[in-house]
Amino acid sequence: MSSPDGSRAPVHRHGDHPLHESGGALDATHAHAHADIWLADVSAGYGERPAIEHVTLVVEPGTLLAVVGPNGAGKSTLLKVMAGLIAPWSGRVEVLGSPPGREAHRVAYVPQAELVDWEFPVTVGDVVMMGRYPRLGLARRPGPDDRRAVAAALERVGMAEHARRQIGSLSGGQRRRVFLARALAADPTLFLLDEPVTGIDARTQEDLMDILEALAHSGRSVVATTHDLAAAAQRFHRVAAINRTMIADGPAALVLDPEVLARTYGGHLLVLGGQTVLLDDAHHHDQAEPGEQHHHVETERTR
Amino acid sequence: MTLELPWTDVVFAPLAYPFFVRALLASVLVGTVCAVVGTYVVLKGLAFIGDAISHAAFPGVVAAFLLHGPFYLGAGIAAVATALAIGFVSRRARIRMDTVVGVLFAGTFALGIFLFSTIHGYVADLFGFLFGNVLAISLADLVGLSLLGGFVLGCIALLWKELLYSTFDPLGAGASGLPVAPLEYLFLAFVALTIVVSLQAVGIILVVAMLVTPAATAQLLTVRFAVMMRFAVLVGIGAAVVGLYLSYWLDVASGATIVLVETAAFLLALVLGPRSGLRRRRGVAVAG
């Protein structure tokens, strides 16, 4: 379909918004040579139903980016396009300088916790070892290097003493730690994480965010979807607010303002005397494991 | 009955007959291949699909009979074609998967019965494929099926970790570069070949039990994949041997007896196993 080109008015942009300048289609064409992720005017979906439309996004190395938006906004779809799991209907995508999927061994993707079969007969150590499988190749068994990488990853997320436990016996926060460890064990350049800090205790959230921040600091890129606007505001360098189209993209402090959030979340947002209250759509967590916290209401201080 | 015989005679007397030795080897082969492939079948939730593929082999068997070809060629073509068709439909169609499988299941089996009904004359061999008759297996068939079973086991030995990753987390595996869709097709073909290997021993109607029951039993006993597969093989081989001897001494159908022994093992694990639903909440034991 259409290639990105500065003269074309991007349909998804609100021309009067100050953030418009920070990530327009024109920037995308110039920036992509050095970007870890470059999406230009991308639309994608399932069956006949579009999940994201005309999304343009550039992620430079060392970025810690939160993708926020209501349920059904296309956050997970956007991540899957980046991971090469679904092909875009239109627009152009480059990941690590190649078509998505080409550099797959340098990409780690972590699905939502709801999509994992927690009764599966694997231990914590088994799951983290899976991060090493792609680099091993056919018919090769994990060796000492792989075991060291797994041990180091488990150590880093604070799960070393749980290596032999079955994954279903872990708490929600521990499960997220294990899947981040799997991504770490793969030693990728790009981390694509679907809801890595949603529905977990504050301590785990802090620990995981510390790790993600350190990764970004070391030049890796981290793209994480999140329902947690507080985490997005406090810990991520950059926030992209989407609701099928890109609503805003920029520094957290600019994106997470009441006006942008109102456009992103529509009727799910209430502004009450200095506090923006997000009425989170609870059905998203319907399949969550018992014991996980359900954030039905999140509060976010406005500036 | 034979209770007055010493146990050594119970075990060794039948081994004097070559047909029994062939049947024993075939049963152990079937028990092994089915348990290994069945471990993935259970974890992927493909029991219904396995049943459909085995029923789809029937028209192939009948066609081979009509054309005087080897049964496993007809069964293999029909089963693999159906397996790949199911794989294709599951990725493309907008209809519910179980609906499609249900349609194929009945349709292909009906085709088999239709062809079957055109045959006038001696068809006892074909009944053997419906209900299994491992005691009638020929040496040539045993060699052919061993090669086929060995091929499936060899492929799984090469691909076990890729199959494990794409079964556990298809999205994560796909994003990290594993060819998840080709692996899915390949695995369905392995299921089809496993069914072909098993047809003569247990028959089309009971093959699904050989695939599912040992692995389901093993899943109740361990939380580790590698241990689960080993337990499944133990259950598969043990039930095959015990079932075959029981059927010999009781003079009853061999396939059904093997499946009944497996079912008994499953029920035992369900009642006593550390991971069964019946004893949950007492904590999940870590085996292996």
Side-chain angles (χ1 to χ4, degrees):
Chain A
M1 228 186 77
S2 56
S3 63
D5 122 35
S7 64
R8 206 174 64 83
V11 276
H12 60 296
R13 294 281 166 182
H14 296 255
D16 57 346
H17 197 273
L19 294 171
H20 179 215
E21 271 82 44
S22 69
L26 187 62
D27 287 359
T29 44
H30 291 293
H32 86 273
H34 306 291
D36 277 354
I37 297 172
W38 178 67
L39 269 68
D41 199 29
V42 168
S43 300
Y46 308 91
E48 315 255 297
R49 190 179 60 82
I52 53 172
E53 290 184 289
H54 307 295
V55 169
T56 292
L57 181 71
V58 177
V59 177
E60 303 288 345
T63 299
L64 182 54
L65 169 68
V67 178
V68 303
N71 288 325
K75 301 189 296 292
S76 295
T77 306
L78 184 64
L79 220 55
K80 286 178 187 165
V81 168
M82 294 172 180
L85 291 169
I86 56 178
W89 292 351
S90 63
R92 290 185 59 192
V93 182
E94 280 188 17
V95 176
L96 302 174
S98 300
R102 180 81 55 82
E103 295 290 318
H105 58 286
R106 293 170 62 204
V107 177
Y109 169 88
V110 173
Q112 284 180 39
E114 287 84 6
L115 296 180
V116 174
D117 174 11
W118 296 103
E119 292 299 314
F120 204 93
V122 283
T123 62
V124 167
D126 295 336
V127 170
V128 179
M129 185 59 87
M130 288 179 195
R132 306 290 295 178
Y133 285 177
R135 66 169 60 214
L136 276 173
L138 288 189
R140 276 193 51 207
R141 293 172 155 276
D145 282 354
D146 302 300
R147 281 189 284 277
R148 266 194 296 277
V150 168
L154 283 173
E155 192 67 47
R156 191 160 178 195
V157 300
M159 290 292 291
E161 70 270 37
H162 302 294
R164 296 178 67 82
R165 282 174 66 185
Q166 196 266 336
I167 52 168
S169 69
L170 304 174
S171 71
Q174 288 174 323
R175 293 172 178 189
R176 298 280 76 190
R177 286 174 189 266
V178 170
F179 270 78
L180 181 59
R182 186 183 78 183
L184 291 170
D187 192 22
T189 309
L190 174 63
F191 290 75
L192 302 173
L193 314 172
D194 209 348
E195 302 286 354
V197 295
T198 303
I200 57 178
D201 58 283
R203 164 86 196 286
T204 301
Q205 203 174 72
E206 285 302 306
D207 288 354
L208 296 188
M209 286 310 309
D210 288 346
I211 295 170
L212 298 186
E213 201 149 70
L215 288 169
H217 199 72
S218 70
R220 272 59 165 254
S221 292
V222 180
V223 180
T225 65
T226 184
H227 264 64
D228 193 331
L229 293 181
Q234 287 157 18
R235 300 301 304 265
F236 285 84
H237 304 156
R238 180 177 155 198
V239 175
I242 68 167
N243 192 349
R244 216 170 62 187
T245 59
M246 183 68 76
I247 306 291
D249 172 15
L254 287 179
V255 171
L256 295 172
D257 82 353
E259 195 247 336
V260 173
L261 289 177
R263 287 217 311 275
T264 309
Y265 286 87
H268 296 288
L269 200 74
L270 286 177
V271 181
L272 298 168
Q275 289 242 302
T276 305
V277 180
L278 172 61
L279 301 175
D280 197 354
D281 0 23
H283 66 261
H284 179 79
H285 295 292
D286 276 352
Q287 294 165 347
E289 294 295 317
E292 279 192 38
Q293 295 170 346
H294 289 220
H295 291 248
H296 293 269
V297 177
E298 294 168 11
T299 58
E300 170 59 32
R301 203 179 299 279
T302 59
R303 296 157 190 86
Chain B
M1 261 289 295
T2 54
L3 288 174
E4 63 275 16
L5 278 177
W7 70 269
T8 45
D9 283 5
V10 171
V11 173
F12 291 113
L15 296 177
Y17 302 102
F19 77 87
F20 188 87
V21 176
R22 286 199 301 273
L24 193 62
L25 292 173
S27 302
V28 168
L29 170 75
V30 169
T32 307
V33 181
C34 280
V36 168
V37 173
T39 302
Y40 291 102
V41 168
V42 164
L43 293 174
K44 283 174 179 281
L46 295 182
F48 187 46
I49 287 174
D51 207 11
I53 293 173
S54 71
H55 281 74
F58 189 48
V61 171
V62 181
F65 182 86
L66 289 170
L67 299 171
H68 306 290
F71 88 88
Y72 44 82
L73 195 64
I77 291 170
V80 171
T82 305
L84 297 184
I86 288 174
F88 182 77
V89 168
S90 73
R91 291 191 162 265
R92 299 295 166 89
R94 312 252 169 87
I95 321 170
R96 277 180 59 102
M97 186 64 188
D98 56 344
T99 307
V100 177
V101 173
V103 170
L104 282 173
F105 189 132
T108 51
F109 195 55
L111 177 63
I113 294 171
F114 177 85
L115 291 175
F116 186 70
S117 67
T118 65
I119 303 169
H120 303 285
Y122 183 69
V123 289
D125 280 1
L126 286 176
F127 275 112
F129 286 108
L130 281 180
F131 302 110
N133 187 7
V134 73
L135 294 169
I137 199 164
S138 70
L139 185 62
D141 283 349
L142 178 60
V143 170
L145 297 180
S146 299
L147 291 174
L148 193 55
F151 171 74
V152 172
L153 289 179
C155 289
I156 302 247
L158 285 179
L159 293 169
W160 69 271
K161 66 182 190 306
E162 286 75 14
L163 286 170
L164 173 63
Y165 195 179
S166 61
T167 299
F168 174 62
D169 179 8
L171 292 176
S176 71
L178 294 187
V180 172
L183 282 171
E184 184 74 21
Y185 282 111
L186 207 55
F187 181 72
L188 286 170
F190 293 159
V191 172
L193 294 179
T194 303
I195 284 164
V196 173
V197 170
S198 315
L199 281 188
Q200 242 182 328
V202 286
I204 281 165
I205 294 170
L206 294 178
V207 156
V208 68
M210 297 294 286
L211 273 175
V212 172
T213 311
T217 307
Q219 198 180 12
L220 295 170
L221 301 175
T222 179
V223 296
R224 298 210 65 175
F225 174 81
V227 181
M228 175 180 165
M229 189 178 274
R230 281 173 209 144
F231 281 180
V233 169
L234 281 180
V235 172
I237 291 177
V241 172
V242 172
L244 190 67
Y245 271 100
L246 276 177
S247 78
Y248 177 86
W249 287 112
L250 300 175
D251 193 21
V252 288
S254 55
T257 312
I258 292 171
V259 170
L260 281 176
V261 173
E262 285 182 347
T263 309
F266 173 80
L267 292 175
L268 209 61
L270 190 66
V271 175
L272 302 175
R275 294 197 77 207
S276 77
L278 304 180
R279 281 182 30 168
R280 253 305 138 64
R281 295 284 144 245
R282 316 242 347 228
V284 178
V286 180

